[in-house]
Amino acid sequence: MPKPKKIKKAKSFMFTTRHHSFSGVLGCIIGVVSVVVLVFSILIAYNNKGISDVKMGSEALFSAVLNIIGIVAGLTGLSERDIYKWVPIASIVINSVVLVSWITLVIWGNLVK
């Protein structure tokens, strides 16, 4: 039986120029801030027995605008070349989920009254 052939090791390294997209990271940070604002608003509304004021509505509107900006930043980051794709995709997912949560809470709050 013949000896198996030896596999030669590569003598060079392959370096990549990939990096994290600034827009994608910005969108992720905006998404995390929006999640914190959402949880904070839910806790305040729970402590007030479901009664909310104008401040809560302005928080929701501000967070929704931030989520739209985060989605746009994620889409912008996704269109860049030579980047890690998971950061902008995470940004889009986080911001979309929080935006849908805000819309659902606003609609549900108006229907329950």
Side-chain angles (χ1 to χ4, degrees):
M1 184 178 236
K3 284 187 175 181
K5 290 185 179 179
K6 235 183 181 183
I7 299 173
K8 293 183 180 178
K9 287 186 180 180
K11 301 237 180 196
S12 64
F13 293 98
M14 183 175 170
F15 292 104
T16 181
T17 59
R18 285 177 148 189
H19 61 281
H20 292 290
S21 167
F22 176 76
S23 300
V25 173
L26 179 68
C28 277
I29 291 171
I30 288 173
V32 170
V33 168
S34 295
V35 167
V36 169
V37 170
L38 176 66
V39 170
F40 185 68
S41 298
I42 289 172
L43 289 174
I44 289 176
Y46 180 76
N47 286 337
N48 290 337
K49 298 182 174 108
I51 299 170
S52 60
D53 56 351
V54 178
K55 290 179 187 177
M56 298 296 284
S58 62
E59 262 181 32
L61 182 64
F62 180 69
S63 181
V65 170
L66 272 180
N67 287 128
I68 293 170
I69 292 170
I71 292 170
V72 170
L75 290 172
T76 304
L78 199 58
S79 67
E80 292 179 16
R81 292 182 54 191
D82 293 333
I83 61 162
Y84 294 108
K85 299 279 185 190
W86 68 271
V87 177
I89 290 173
S91 167
I92 294 168
V93 169
I94 291 170
N95 285 302
S96 298
V97 167
V98 174
L99 183 62
V100 168
S101 299
W102 274 119
I103 292 171
T104 304
L105 283 173
V106 168
I107 291 172
W108 188 25
N110 286 331
L111 292 178
V112 172
K113 281 187 178 181

